[in-house]
Amino acid sequence: MTRTKSVAVLLSVVLAVGAGALVYWQTRERLAFKPEVGDDYAFNLTYQLDLTPDKRGTRLPMREMHMDALSRSTVTGRSGGGFEVETGVDFLAFDSDGREVVNTRKLDHGSDRKRAMARLLRGGIRQTVDPQGVAHGAEFVDAETLASLEEDLPDGALAQLSQSMVQMNLFNGGLPTAPLRTGLTWQSPAVTGSNHSAALPAMTYTVSAVDADTVSVDVTQPSEDGTPDKVGYILFERGTGWPLQATLDYTVHTNMMDHALVARARINLRRADQPSPVPDLRYEHMVRMALEGFPVDLSNPDTRRYFLPPFGIKPADEVLDAFNSELMWMPPNDAGKEEGLDIPIRWLTENFIDPLKVTSVTLRDASGATLSGPSAPNPRFDLQARISADWPPSRRATAPLLKEPLNDGQLKALDTLEMTVETSVPDTVYEGTLKKGAASVKLGDAITVSVDSWSPDRIVLRVSRPGGFRVKDWTFLGVIPRDAEGNELPSYHYTASNTALERLMATPALADREVDNELLRDVVDALRLQSPAQRRGDKRITIEPDAPVDSLQLKVMPVKTVSQTWVAHNAGFTLSGGPVVGERTVSEGLIRSWDFQTLNMDDAAIEGVGHHQLRLRMPGSTSRCEAGVADAQAYKGYSLKLYPARYGSGLQLQTTNGLQFFYDLSLGITLRCVTEIEMTTVDVDHSDLVKRIDANTVQLSDNARQQLDRVADMAMVSSMDPVGRRADGAALKQLEASGTNQYRFWGEVQTLTLPRISKRESRTFNVTFEPLP
C-alpha cells in the first residue's frame, strides 16, 4: 500500500465513523434516527488496526495503524424522509508502524496541497441519513478543494474514499423495524474489504438495557465454534438517537494490500460531552482489590487513617484554594509545542477529588476583564488523562485545553484562565452498626449494607444503592469488627469486589485463572467491552477476622458531583524571568532525602603489613576522606602514593612505578575525613549563610556554596540544591535563577534546608616494614 493509499483508507474510516455515528434513534415503537435540525456534536475517535498475515513469512507493507480524530457532525436540515448531515474532521493524526503519516495541525503549515487536504477534511461530507440509519448520496462539502486535489491523488482514490463514506462501517445493515425492547436482536452482514478499506465481520446487535435517557446495545460476532463473542457495546442518547459512547474490539479474516491477513480493529468513540475513559491503572487496582484483597491492622494509626472514612482528607473548599494557587497554564514553548495545563495532581489524589470534564473556559487579563477572541475548550482535551500521572502518554493526555491556539496579543495580555470543571468530591460520612443476626443496616438515605453470610471466620456484606456502584468507584466501606464485649478486633483481611465484576470473572475466558498481571490486563480489556450499565453493580465486601465477631461498626463516605471554578495562572511570565505568579509546592515524597552517615575514625585500619604490603581500610566512603604518605617519602627512588585498591575496597600503597611490596621501611599514613554532615534549616532573613534578594530569590554565601559543592562531590552527584520552604514548611518548586549562587522559588521562600559539614577529623598511622630475612 502506498503512503497516499494508506491515507485514503484512514480518511475513509474517520469520516465513515463520523457518519456511522448518526444511527439508531429509539422511539416508542422502534429504533430510528431522529435528531433535531441544528444538532451539532463533536466526537472523539481512536482507531487501532493490527494486521497479521495468514501465511508465515509473508512481509506486509504495513502491520499497524493508529488514528486519533475529532469529528463534528451537524444536522443541517431535512431531506425527504431523512436528515441532511454534514460531518467534518477538526483534527486527525494517523500513524503507520510508528511513523506519522498525517497530522492536520501540520497540514495547516505545509504545502498548498497539504493545506487543501486539511480544508477538505474540515469541510467533510454531506449525506442524507434515513430513519433506519442508512446514509445515502455522499458528497464532499468543499467541491472546489476536491477538484484541486483530484489531479494529485491516484486515479479512483477519492472515488473509493467517497464510496467508503456511505458504508455504515461500524453499524452496517440498517436498523430493525421490530418494536424496541430489552433483548431485541438484529444482525448486520459482513463487509468484504479491499486494498483501500477494511473488512467487517458479520455482527449481532442486542439491546441490553433501556432507561429514561439511554439505550445500551451489546455487539457480538460468531467465534470459531459458532458461539457469540462479545466485541463491544454502543450507548445511544434515547431522546435524539445520537451515539454517546462505543467500544468495539473485533477480528476479521480479509484480503488487504494484496495479502490474505487477519485484521484486529479496536475502536473507541465518545461524544465530547461524555466522561473521559478510566485509566487502566485504576481499573487494575480495583480488580486486584477484588481478587486478592489486603490485610488490615487498625492498631496502626496510619492504617486506621488510610482505611477508615474520612481518611484524614481536607475539606473540598480548602483544597480548592490551595489547588488554585498552584494551578498553572504553560504557554507554547520555543518550538511551538502547546504545553497547556500543569495540574498539581497531589492535591486531588490525596483528597479523593476526581475531576471529570471542563465545561467552559474564560480568559482574563490582569484586571480581571474578559479577553476577546476564541476561548472554547478543546473537545479532545481529556482531563482524566491529564490528572492520571500513571497513564502512559497519549494524544488524549497531550491535547491542549483550548480548541484554538492563542494569538500573540492574547498571550501577552493573558493573566488567568478561569475554568468551570465538573468534579466528583467526597460527601458526608455516614456511620452505622451491624449486629450479628441482623439482616441489614442503612447508612444515610441511599446506601444499604446487608448480610450475605456470617460465620466465625468469614463475613460477606452487600453494599447497594439505587443505580449501583461503578466498578471503578472509590466509595469505600470502612469496617471496625468488635467482639461481644465491644472491644475492637483490629486485624482482619479485607476484600472489596463488585457484582458486575464477579459476573465478568465467571465467564469461561476469565474463570479459575491465577491472579497475575496478564489476568489483570485481560479483565480490564473485558471491562472496556461492557456498557456503562454493565459496569455497575452492588459492592461485595468480605471480612476474614482473626476471632469471632459480634458486631461491625461501618463507615462510608460517598461522593457527589459538583461544579468547581479552577483558576490557572499564566506561567509564561514566571518562566521567562518575570514576576512569580501563584506558587508551586513539592510533595515531601518527591524531595530527595540525604542520609549522611557519621564516620567513626576508629573503623580505619592498616592491613597487610606483615606480608610487606599496605592497605588502608577506610571508615566509610572514600569520597569523604583524603589520605597520603607523610613527608612525601620515596622508596627505591620512586615516590610513594595511595591508590584505589585493585581488588576490594580501601587504598593500596605503591610506588609511582607500580611496586607494592616493601622492606626495611618506616613511614606515616595520614587520614583526614569529613565525619559528620548534617542537614541544616536556616531562616533566610536571619542567617549568615544566605541573603534574601526578593520574596522568591535568595543568594548563598561563598562559603555555603563551596560547602554545598563539596558535599555534592562527596555524595557523588553532579549538583545538590537547597530546599526552599514557605513559612508553613511546605517545600517550593525551584525556578531558574540568573544570579551567581542564587536560587529562585515558585512562591515566597522563608527557610532554606541545605547540608553543612559539621565535623572533620584526622588520624596518623605509623608503619614499619621489616627488612628482608
Side-chain angles (χ1 to χ4, degrees):
M1 179 183 289
T2 67
R3 182 185 180 92
T4 301
K5 289 179 180 178
S6 65
V7 173
V9 171
L10 264 293
L11 298 185
S12 302
V13 172
V14 70
L15 289 175
V17 167
L22 306 175
V23 298
Y24 304 141
W25 150 259
Q26 173 173 338
T27 66
R28 183 178 302 172
E29 298 178 349
R30 64 184 181 88
L31 290 170
F33 180 58
K34 190 179 179 183
E36 296 289 335
V37 174
D39 277 359
D40 179 59
Y41 290 109
F43 294 88
N44 286 285
L45 169 73
T46 60
Y47 180 89
Q48 176 80 27
L49 185 64
D50 297 307
L51 307 175
T52 306
D54 267 349
K55 294 182 179 179
R56 277 190 170 183
T58 301
R59 289 181 57 86
L60 298 178
M62 175 175 57
R63 286 184 174 271
E64 177 266 336
M65 294 187 292
H66 178 84
M67 180 178 65
D68 282 337
L70 172 65
S71 64
R72 179 169 293 278
S73 294
T74 306
V75 180
T76 57
R78 293 180 178 272
S79 179
F83 297 86
E84 190 173 272
V85 180
E86 293 183 2
T87 299
V89 177
D90 289 345
F91 171 81
L92 171 67
F94 165 43
D95 298 339
S96 172
D97 292 335
R99 295 179 297 104
E100 185 174 77
V101 178
V102 174
N103 186 316
T104 52
R105 286 184 177 270
K106 295 181 179 179
L107 290 179
D108 288 330
H109 305 286
S111 63
D112 290 345
R113 178 181 173 279
K114 289 181 178 179
R115 290 197 298 272
M117 177 65 76
R119 289 197 304 274
L120 183 68
L121 287 170
R122 290 195 180 96
I125 59 171
R126 182 183 298 112
Q127 296 175 293
T128 298
V129 182
D130 66 26
Q132 282 194 282
V134 177
H136 304 274
E139 61 180 2
F140 286 94
V141 173
D142 191 344
E144 182 179 349
T145 299
L146 173 63
S148 70
L149 287 171
E150 283 180 324
E151 299 176 358
D152 297 327
L153 295 178
D155 292 341
L158 284 177
Q160 170 121 35
L161 178 59
S162 178
Q163 180 183 3
S164 69
M165 289 178 192
V166 302
Q167 298 173 0
M168 305 306 284
N169 282 24
L170 288 181
F171 320 114
N172 185 51
L175 301 174
T177 57
L180 176 65
R181 58 178 175 81
T182 300
L184 174 64
T185 298
W186 71 99
Q187 286 79 35
S188 67
V191 175
T192 303
S194 70
N195 273 358
H196 309 297
S197 62
L200 287 172
M203 292 188 181
T204 298
Y205 302 90
T206 304
V207 176
S208 58
V210 180
D211 63 25
D213 300 313
T214 62
V215 177
S216 301
V217 176
D218 286 351
V219 185
T220 60
Q221 72 173 113
S223 63
E224 293 183 358
D225 62 5
T227 58
D229 273 346
K230 186 167 185 179
V231 296
Y233 74 92
I234 314 159
L235 180 70
F236 299 99
E237 187 175 51
R238 183 173 179 178
T240 63
W242 286 106
L244 300 175
Q245 304 173 29
T247 296
L248 295 174
D249 185 344
Y250 60 83
T251 57
V252 61
H253 291 265
T254 185
N255 286 284
M256 194 175 180
M257 301 180 293
D258 300 319
H259 292 285
L261 50 81
V262 177
R264 180 187 179 187
R266 282 168 284 181
I267 300 170
N268 288 281
L269 182 71
R270 177 174 60 87
R271 203 168 79 176
D273 59 356
Q274 291 294 292
S276 300
V278 176
D280 285 355
L281 192 69
R282 182 183 294 188
Y283 267 141
E284 289 178 7
H285 174 79
M286 304 306 285
V287 172
R288 190 177 290 277
M289 186 186 296
L291 298 180
E292 295 182 327
F294 46 84
V296 174
D297 180 7
L298 296 180
S299 63
N300 183 315
D302 291 335
T303 302
R304 193 177 190 91
R305 183 171 58 253
Y306 186 83
F307 286 110
L308 295 182
F311 311 110
I313 64 174
K314 297 179 174 64
D317 291 341
E318 179 183 335
V319 173
L320 182 61
D321 290 340
F323 175 83
N324 276 340
S325 71
E326 300 194 25
L327 181 62
M328 299 292 161
W329 181 79
M330 305 295 179
N333 59 24
D334 293 338
K337 181 181 178 181
E338 298 179 34
E339 302 289 345
L341 278 185
D342 189 358
I343 301 173
I345 297 170
R346 68 183 185 89
W347 285 109
L348 307 176
T349 56
E350 290 175 2
N351 293 284
F352 289 65
I353 296 174
D354 193 11
L356 304 176
K357 60 183 177 181
V358 177
T359 58
S360 69
V361 179
T362 302
L363 309 181
R364 299 191 185 279
D365 63 18
S367 70
T370 303
L371 293 178
S372 61
S375 62
N378 185 356
R380 291 181 55 246
F381 177 73
D382 194 324
L383 189 55
Q384 284 280 328
R386 291 303 291 261
I387 67 168
S388 298
D390 298 304
W391 193 330
S394 67
R395 285 198 180 92
R396 291 194 302 275
T398 56
L401 168 67
L402 299 175
K403 182 179 179 181
E404 300 293 339
L406 302 183
N407 57 44
D408 291 341
Q410 287 179 309
L411 283 172
K412 291 178 181 178
L414 179 64
D415 182 63
T416 59
L417 291 87
E418 187 176 292
M419 293 161 282
T420 302
V421 182
E422 190 175 294
T423 310
S424 173
V425 300
D427 202 351
T428 305
V429 175
Y430 298 103
E431 297 189 44
T433 299
L434 189 60
K435 298 278 293 180
K436 181 180 179 180
S440 64
V441 64
K442 293 277 288 186
L443 300 180
D445 295 331
I447 296 177
T448 300
V449 181
S450 55
V451 178
D452 276 2
S453 63
W454 191 308
S455 64
D457 58 356
R458 193 168 188 265
I459 302 169
V460 182
L461 307 176
R462 180 184 291 262
V463 186
S464 57
R465 69 179 179 190
F469 296 89
R470 294 173 295 175
V471 170
K472 67 106 178 180
D473 199 310
W474 285 114
T475 301
F476 190 88
L477 182 69
V479 179
I480 303 175
R482 296 185 183 276
D483 61 19
E485 286 72 40
N487 300 314
E488 286 190 11
L489 302 172
S491 298
Y492 57 92
H493 193 270
Y494 184 102
T495 304
S497 186
N498 187 297
T499 54
L501 181 60
E502 292 173 355
R503 289 192 297 269
L504 191 64
M505 293 301 303
T507 58
L510 301 174
D512 302 322
R513 286 176 53 180
E514 180 182 354
V515 179
D516 54 19
N517 290 334
E518 183 179 359
L519 174 62
L520 293 180
R521 287 192 295 270
D522 288 347
V523 173
V524 171
D525 288 344
L527 275 170
R528 294 204 181 281
L529 300 182
Q530 308 299 308
S531 70
Q534 292 165 337
R535 293 197 294 267
R536 285 182 174 270
D538 293 339
K539 285 182 176 289
R540 199 189 302 273
I541 309 299
T542 301
I543 306 297
E544 296 173 281
D546 293 338
V549 174
D550 185 71
S551 66
L552 296 173
Q553 182 182 345
L554 306 175
K555 295 186 176 185
V556 69
M557 186 176 68
V559 297
K560 61 182 178 182
T561 300
V562 300
S563 180
Q564 291 186 332
T565 299
W566 288 11
V567 180
H569 303 274
N570 180 2
F573 303 114
T574 299
L575 296 176
S576 60
V580 174
V581 296
E583 60 183 13
R584 300 301 304 272
T585 59
V586 181
S587 173
E588 292 296 328
L590 298 178
I591 299 174
R592 182 167 181 176
S593 60
W594 299 99
D595 183 15
F596 298 107
Q597 180 183 4
T598 298
L599 304 186
N600 186 347
M601 294 297 283
D602 291 338
D603 291 339
I606 297 294
E607 301 171 337
V609 175
H611 298 285
H612 298 276
Q613 290 186 304
L614 186 150
R615 176 174 294 198
L616 175 60
R617 188 177 74 222
M618 309 296 282
S621 171
T622 57
S623 65
R624 289 176 57 175
C625 296
E626 297 175 351
V629 180
D631 302 324
Q633 293 192 26
Y635 182 71
K636 294 188 177 182
Y638 294 97
S639 299
L640 289 165
K641 291 187 177 181
L642 291 163
Y643 296 91
R646 183 174 301 178
Y647 303 104
S649 59
L651 300 177
Q652 181 82 36
L653 179 69
Q654 67 181 55
T655 63
T656 52
N657 71 330
L659 294 177
Q660 295 184 358
F661 290 88
F662 305 97
Y663 303 91
D664 195 17
L665 175 67
S666 294
L667 51 76
I669 301 295
T670 59
L671 178 65
R672 303 179 187 86
C673 297
V674 173
T675 54
E676 292 184 12
I677 303 173
E678 61 182 10
M679 297 301 295
T680 302
T681 299
V682 299
D683 189 307
V684 299
D685 296 316
H686 302 92
S687 174
D688 295 335
L689 299 178
V690 61
K691 179 178 69 175
R692 182 186 291 281
I693 303 300
D694 57 36
N696 315 102
T697 311
V698 296
Q699 185 175 41
L700 291 184
S701 68
D702 290 341
N703 175 265
R705 179 70 210 194
Q706 290 168 5
Q707 285 216 20
L708 190 63
D709 292 341
R710 173 73 177 112
V711 172
D713 289 340
M714 290 188 289
M716 292 182 287
V717 295
S718 59
S719 64
M720 187 177 290
D721 295 325
V723 178
R725 297 181 182 274
R726 301 186 312 200
D728 64 359
L732 294 167
K733 183 179 178 68
Q734 187 174 316
L735 291 163
E736 185 175 346
S738 57
T740 304
N741 294 350
Q742 288 187 3
Y743 291 88
R744 188 168 182 247
F745 297 95
W746 210 321
E748 184 170 349
V749 59
Q750 189 59 51
T751 65
L752 213 61
T753 301
L754 68 166
R756 295 286 292 163
I757 296 172
S758 56
K759 189 175 183 179
R760 292 181 172 90
E761 296 181 70
S762 61
R763 185 177 176 186
T764 299
F765 299 90
N766 294 311
V767 180
T768 298
F769 293 98
E770 296 294 330
L772 280 169

